[in-house]
Amino acid sequence: MGLAILRTPFSSLTVDDFISRGSAGQIFAISDNLVLKCPTRFIDPAPEQSQESEESIEKIEREKSVYRELMRYHHPHVVRAVLCAPEGIFMQRLKCTLRSRLDSHANFPVSLGKQCRWIQQLTSAVEWLERLGYAHGDLRPANILLDAADTIKVGDFDSTVRFGEQLLVTTVPFCKLEGDYEAPVAGAVTEQYAVGSCIYNIRTGFEPYHDIDGPVMVRKLMKNEFPPTSDDYLFGGTILKCWRGRYSSIRQLRQAILTDLRDFEESSKHDGNGSTAVDLSSSTDLSDQALMTELNNRALKLTGTLQQLPLHLFFLPDIVWEKIDLKAEERNEGRIRLRSWQNVTGDSRTCYPYFDLSETYSLSLKNQFETGHNARTRTSQAPLTVECSLPVTTTAASSRYRSVNDTSYQEHKKFLLVDTPGHGKLRHHALDNLIQAQNLKGIIYMVDAADISAGSVSGTENEPLRQAAEYLYDILLLLQKRTMGSKPRAMSLLVAANKLDLFTALPAPLVKTALEAEITNVRESRNKGLLDSGVGMSESDIRDEKEWLGDGEGKFDFSQMVEANVSVTVAGGSVIGADGPDVKQWWDWVGNNL
């Protein structure tokens, strides 16, 4: 029998285009910025090679299913796929693996700042997978890549499973076997264990127990005998907690890491050493549109089924949305369907529940809710309405006991989002929406937590806080006036504290306290103004005129709005962050009100 030869997916690809081959498949270079990951196939294979091909095909198909969802929900630290085709997966081409970079640490040391950045980026990506219900399943430096700017990109999802399913592979020391040498069930414990080993590898340059035999290492880890981490003053405790499964979720792990880094950076400043934890080297990623254009151009030279496929129908780059005639095109990927409102018969607000979005920074959140991505914004001058759907990770309150096979399930995930201008001279649009409300489910009031914080420490009057409190006062007062007639239906208001990814931002509880205190000042100021201008009016007369927000005297707090059947929630997040958007709490609030 002759020697079996690897078969390329396209006859135009040659050995010069071959990059590497792994357990899942083989990688071919398509261009300087694109690669193709495809199953391993042979010409005249032996029986064992036929089995290898079948397993490779199964792994690539599994990875395709994961990437189809990741293509909907991009994350900056996950390898981007451009197209899932019959031949394989076209994805961005990166510089090297994290493993190869760490293997050369003796000659090319990694700075502390870069280590911290890698750890932040890694946990951000793994938390994103957790939100989507996925466990990577084989997280280790060999499956983590770096771009030209040394930015982390998690890849290789051929072993990825859903939380609650058994892991498909067990790569020690990035996975700990069960007592019977069985693979564990995927979940927060298995993922944080892998993250802990990755952090250990990043910090030391070596894998845990790299200097002992494999069987001895496996037995030690199964007995919870871990390498010492006490020498790592910054991450030693975190690594040990990961190995012991002390975090309830990857989200909790990431928050703990961010807190430790902030504390470390503050202590470094006090010690006069400067900041070493932050390294914000920019990524050199091409845009999705540029990658797709490059693939379209390259496809003309590829031979095979791909040549006959209309590539532009497989991928609609977010960057060109505003250039598309929305009357003719719809994008529906489970997250958002956006279309021209001229196509909607009648007043959509009488059919769909809707949320009013108010304040200066609302357009950024509108883009995030509408598309799942950030885009360049401009100051809005008129209300803008878009139709949105809850992401797959959020369930509407009305659907929690509804079967996913129920035909009305998707309808209960839809809502309209009305973005109103935040400029002082244009705020009447938002107030008119409240007066003429039909099927209004809630109000999202955006505040800049970093701007408020900057004003509070300046030692002068906090103008950003004053403006935010005055506008919020008007909205709450208008909602309270609904009680002049019959008891109104319940209304929810979310104060969305934006930019919490910045060190200078106030945490959500402090944003709540600051707004309540400033609204108290606004109430007293307006009360004094009415007393000064009103002939023979007393404070009781002012309250009778419904110009007094809340009940009683003294300090105002949001709980006083319960009497007006209005519930106020303050939740933090960030529309644009260094590690991607963090809007989960806001989505949860929307889901609870649908």
Side-chain angles (χ1 to χ4, degrees):
M1 178 182 298
L3 183 65
I5 301 174
L6 283 172
R7 190 172 70 188
T8 62
F10 304 105
S11 59
S12 55
L13 293 178
T14 67
V15 66
D16 294 332
D17 301 310
F18 178 80
I19 296 177
S20 65
R21 176 185 167 202
S23 60
Q26 46 190 346
I27 307 290
F28 288 92
I30 300 300
S31 70
D32 290 340
N33 299 300
L34 286 168
V35 296
L36 170 65
K37 186 175 183 178
C38 58
T40 300
R41 300 176 187 270
F42 299 91
I43 299 174
D44 297 328
E48 62 273 13
Q49 291 168 332
S50 295
Q51 182 179 355
E52 179 184 350
S53 293
E54 293 174 2
E55 293 175 352
S56 177
I57 293 171
E58 181 181 351
K59 290 179 179 180
I60 294 297
E61 289 302 315
R62 183 185 304 115
E63 189 164 11
K64 283 182 186 179
S65 68
V66 176
Y67 262 122
R68 288 189 182 102
E69 188 158 359
L70 292 177
M71 288 169 69
R72 300 175 182 178
Y73 308 107
H74 294 299
H75 189 277
H77 302 303
V78 171
V79 177
R80 295 210 320 264
V82 179
L83 174 67
C84 292
E87 289 78 7
I89 307 169
F90 291 89
M91 60 183 66
Q92 65 180 135
R93 185 175 184 176
L94 297 165
K95 181 180 66 173
C96 64
T97 66
L98 179 61
R99 178 180 178 178
S100 63
R101 178 68 178 84
L102 294 174
D103 286 345
S104 62
H105 74 279
N107 297 324
F108 303 98
V110 181
S111 67
L112 174 59
K114 184 169 291 187
Q115 290 177 6
C116 293
R117 181 164 62 93
W118 283 351
I119 291 169
Q120 291 182 61
Q121 294 170 349
L122 174 61
T123 52
S124 175
V126 179
E127 182 202 359
W128 185 249
L129 294 173
E130 178 185 66
R131 292 186 185 186
L132 298 177
Y134 285 116
H136 184 280
D138 193 18
L139 189 68
R140 51 194 174 94
N143 292 333
I144 301 169
L145 295 99
L146 297 172
D147 66 9
D150 270 356
T151 301
I152 287 286
K153 305 284 183 178
V154 175
D156 288 329
F157 299 101
D158 51 90
S159 299
T160 296
V161 296
R162 290 285 185 181
F163 270 44
E165 298 177 352
Q166 190 173 35
L167 291 181
L168 300 176
V169 296
T170 54
T171 307
V172 180
F174 299 94
C175 176
K176 185 176 71 173
L177 295 172
E178 300 288 356
D180 53 1
Y181 290 90
E182 290 292 325
V185 173
V189 173
T190 60
E191 291 302 278
Q192 68 185 274
Y193 188 95
V195 170
S197 294
C198 288
I199 295 176
Y200 182 96
N201 202 165
I202 291 172
R203 293 288 286 152
T204 66
F206 301 101
E207 294 182 359
Y209 283 141
H210 67 283
D211 52 351
I212 65 175
D213 293 335
V216 177
M217 174 178 62
V218 171
R219 288 193 294 270
K220 278 182 171 291
L221 295 179
M222 290 175 64
K223 293 188 293 184
N224 291 331
E225 296 178 7
F226 304 115
T229 61
S230 56
D231 290 342
D232 189 341
Y233 59 92
L234 184 54
F235 291 102
T238 301
I239 294 170
L240 201 56
K241 288 180 180 179
C242 287
W243 285 340
R244 292 175 175 171
R246 298 294 173 81
Y247 297 102
S248 61
S249 64
I250 303 301
R251 179 176 178 81
Q252 185 187 35
L253 164 62
R254 180 166 179 260
Q255 292 301 322
I257 288 175
L258 292 176
T259 300
D260 290 343
L261 288 175
R262 290 190 185 103
D263 293 344
F264 173 70
E265 187 173 21
E266 287 301 317
S267 65
S268 298
K269 289 179 181 178
H270 292 318
D271 293 340
N273 297 325
S275 174
T276 58
V278 180
D279 181 356
L280 299 177
S281 301
S282 60
S283 175
T284 57
D285 280 354
L286 290 179
S287 68
D288 291 331
Q289 184 185 24
L291 287 174
M292 196 60 202
T293 299
E294 191 165 317
L295 177 57
N296 274 314
N297 294 336
R298 186 71 177 90
L300 299 176
K301 301 178 182 179
L302 297 177
T303 56
T305 60
L306 183 65
Q307 196 172 20
Q308 283 75 44
L309 295 178
L311 296 183
H312 60 282
L313 297 181
F314 276 84
F315 186 83
L316 187 60
D318 301 332
I319 197 171
V320 297
W321 274 25
E322 60 185 28
K323 300 178 182 178
I324 297 172
D325 179 7
L326 297 179
K327 296 180 182 180
E329 297 284 353
E330 288 189 1
R331 179 182 174 106
N332 187 350
E333 295 183 342
R335 177 179 61 250
I336 172 66
R337 184 175 64 193
L338 174 65
R339 63 189 182 190
S340 170
W341 294 109
Q342 283 79 3
N343 287 345
V344 182
T345 303
D347 185 357
S348 303
R349 300 182 196 177
T350 62
C351 303
Y352 284 116
Y354 79 96
F355 293 84
D356 189 78
L357 186 58
S358 302
E359 246 309 334
T360 307
Y361 310 97
S362 58
L363 190 57
S364 296
L365 181 62
K366 189 276 295 181
N367 287 337
Q368 179 60 229
F369 272 24
E370 175 190 322
T371 68
H373 302 280
N374 301 315
R376 180 176 298 175
T377 61
R378 63 188 184 281
T379 302
S380 55
Q381 299 180 0
L384 176 64
T385 303
V386 292
E387 179 185 344
C388 302
S389 292
L390 291 177
V392 293
T393 53
T394 305
T395 302
S398 59
S399 299
R400 285 174 182 165
Y401 303 102
R402 192 183 305 273
S403 169
V404 295
N405 298 318
D406 190 328
T407 55
S408 64
Y409 181 81
Q410 289 299 326
E411 290 298 322
H412 282 254
K413 293 172 70 71
K414 297 178 182 178
F415 62 94
L416 301 182
L417 187 68
V418 182
D419 170 46
T420 58
H423 191 277
K425 294 183 179 180
L426 300 173
R427 290 174 180 174
H428 64 276
H429 290 296
L431 301 179
D432 290 343
N433 272 329
L434 298 182
I435 296 173
Q436 305 169 7
Q438 297 184 52
N439 207 16
L440 177 63
K441 302 298 291 184
I443 301 168
I444 303 174
Y445 186 80
M446 296 285 295
V447 295
D448 187 332
D451 202 14
I452 290 176
S453 175
S456 64
V457 300
S458 64
T460 59
E461 182 179 357
N462 192 335
E463 183 65 18
L465 176 60
R466 185 190 65 79
Q467 291 185 9
E470 285 186 343
Y471 189 15
L472 183 56
Y473 181 97
D474 292 336
I475 293 174
L476 292 175
L477 186 61
L478 190 59
L479 293 176
Q480 179 179 279
K481 288 181 178 180
R482 301 177 309 156
T483 59
M484 297 181 67
S486 58
K487 184 177 181 180
R489 60 183 177 82
M491 179 63 62
S492 296
L493 185 145
L494 170 67
V495 177
N498 190 26
K499 299 187 180 179
L500 286 197
D501 57 305
L502 302 179
F503 291 152
T504 57
L506 282 181
L510 295 184
V511 170
K512 176 177 180 293
T513 302
L515 284 173
E516 288 175 336
E518 191 62 28
I519 287 176
T520 301
N521 296 334
V522 173
R523 184 172 66 177
E524 295 295 338
S525 175
R526 296 194 180 185
N527 177 29
K528 184 178 183 301
L530 287 172
L531 287 174
D532 292 343
S533 61
V535 179
M537 292 185 67
S538 65
E539 290 192 9
S540 60
D541 294 330
I542 293 174
R543 292 189 179 93
D544 291 340
E545 291 296 323
K546 295 298 180 182
E547 296 298 333
W548 181 270
L549 181 64
D551 56 352
E553 299 180 357
K555 183 180 182 296
F556 170 84
D557 63 74
F558 290 130
S559 63
Q560 296 175 11
M561 297 304 300
V562 174
E563 291 296 323
N565 215 10
V566 176
S567 65
V568 180
T569 303
V570 181
S574 56
V575 177
I576 303 173
D579 295 325
D582 180 11
V583 294
K584 184 179 186 301
Q585 291 188 66
W586 303 341
W587 271 126
D588 290 343
W589 179 87
V590 172
N592 289 333
N593 285 282
L594 282 180

